[in-house]
Amino acid sequence: MNNPKIEKLVKDLLIELGEDPKREGLQKTPHRVAKMYTELTKGYKTSRKATINGALFSQNVDNMVILKNIELYSLCEHHLLPFFGKCHVGYIAKDKIVGISKIARVVERFARRLQVQERLTQEIAAELQDALKPQGVGVVIEAQHLCMMMRGVEKQNSVMVTSAVLGNFRSDLATREEFLTIINKH
Ligand code: ZN
């Protein structure tokens, strides 16, 4: 999947930065960067159908299902720099459950875009709410942002935490606490 337009832009960027795109180490950089950005933003091209629909099962259970420590890599839309960390997802089914690996796919689908962490958290929660129609869903993301660590205020150790809770994760304090207790247990 070559993208000559992005390659051209990266080459121009190198020149504007004062570099020589013809020197050995940089000759293939436009090609590599174009490929990389295509991969890091592939979430735009995936659909719910491809991510989740084939793996929904009817089941009458009402215990909490949690998938925690899902590795997360995304790109901040303000600086095009990575933010990365962990995502924790929980839900309580109503009549549908989903194959557990698909939850990680949903995270991936929304992380592989230009994002802000707040919206990413919301989008994952809303997608699961929509697809599963569960009693409730909770999503917590803990991430470090390179745009904060290597530029600007240079805060190397700060971790940003965002959460989105819907349904009974929002309305029922005990449910929300159960979720938070489990994801905080090491
Ligand atoms: Zn940023």
Side-chain angles (χ1 to χ4, degrees):
M1 27 161 203
N2 287 340
N3 191 323
K5 276 190 187 162
I6 300 179
E7 287 186 31
K8 171 82 170 67
L9 290 166
V10 175
K11 195 174 165 194
D12 287 346
L13 176 65
L14 289 172
I15 293 167
E16 285 304 315
L17 292 174
E19 267 292 356
D20 171 12
K22 287 196 209 71
R23 76 176 170 85
E24 203 191 347
L26 293 180
Q27 279 173 16
K28 287 193 173 156
T29 297
H31 176 70
R32 283 188 291 255
V33 174
K35 243 178 105 178
M36 177 193 73
Y37 273 118
T38 307
E39 188 184 342
L40 299 187
T41 59
K42 68 182 178 196
Y44 291 119
K45 294 197 173 126
T46 51
S47 61
R48 176 187 296 173
K49 211 171 157 208
T51 341
I52 216 175
N53 271 5
L56 290 175
F57 309 101
S58 295
Q59 190 90 49
N60 247 321
V61 287
D62 64 353
N63 52 322
M64 189 178 292
V65 176
I66 291 177
L67 187 60
K68 68 180 195 175
N69 297 329
I70 305 165
E71 285 171 51
L72 173 119
Y73 295 92
S74 190
L75 282 176
C76 109
E77 68 183 18
H78 301 135
H79 303 93
L80 302 188
L81 280 173
F83 64 95
F84 58 95
K86 285 171 182 166
C87 179
H88 315 289
V89 175
Y91 75 97
I92 299 177
K94 197 174 284 165
D95 45 31
K96 266 185 263 175
I97 58 168
V98 65
I100 198 88
S101 69
K102 303 299 177 191
I103 292 177
R105 292 242 177 267
V106 171
V107 172
E108 189 84 342
R109 179 174 163 220
F110 291 101
R112 297 292 188 185
R113 302 173 186 208
L114 304 186
Q115 277 288 8
V116 292
Q117 187 177 326
E118 296 89 331
R119 188 177 66 229
L120 174 59
T121 314
Q122 287 286 350
E123 284 178 346
I124 295 165
E127 175 70 6
L128 291 168
Q129 181 70 34
D130 245 38
L132 290 174
K133 311 263 184 290
Q135 296 180 44
V137 58
V139 177
V140 171
I141 293 177
E142 306 170 72
Q144 291 182 283
H145 292 244
L146 278 186
C147 60
M148 248 188 109
M149 295 164 75
M150 61 189 285
R151 56 163 293 288
V153 290
E154 295 190 30
K155 291 292 177 229
Q156 316 275 315
N157 295 311
S158 55
V159 176
M160 181 167 167
V161 183
T162 47
S163 72
V165 283
L166 301 172
N168 62 357
F169 278 58
R170 175 176 283 275
S171 59
D172 181 31
L173 182 62
T175 302
R176 185 161 70 238
E177 274 178 354
E178 181 184 346
F179 172 60
L180 294 174
T181 304
I182 294 172
I183 67 170
N184 285 321
K185 234 181 243 161
H186 292 291

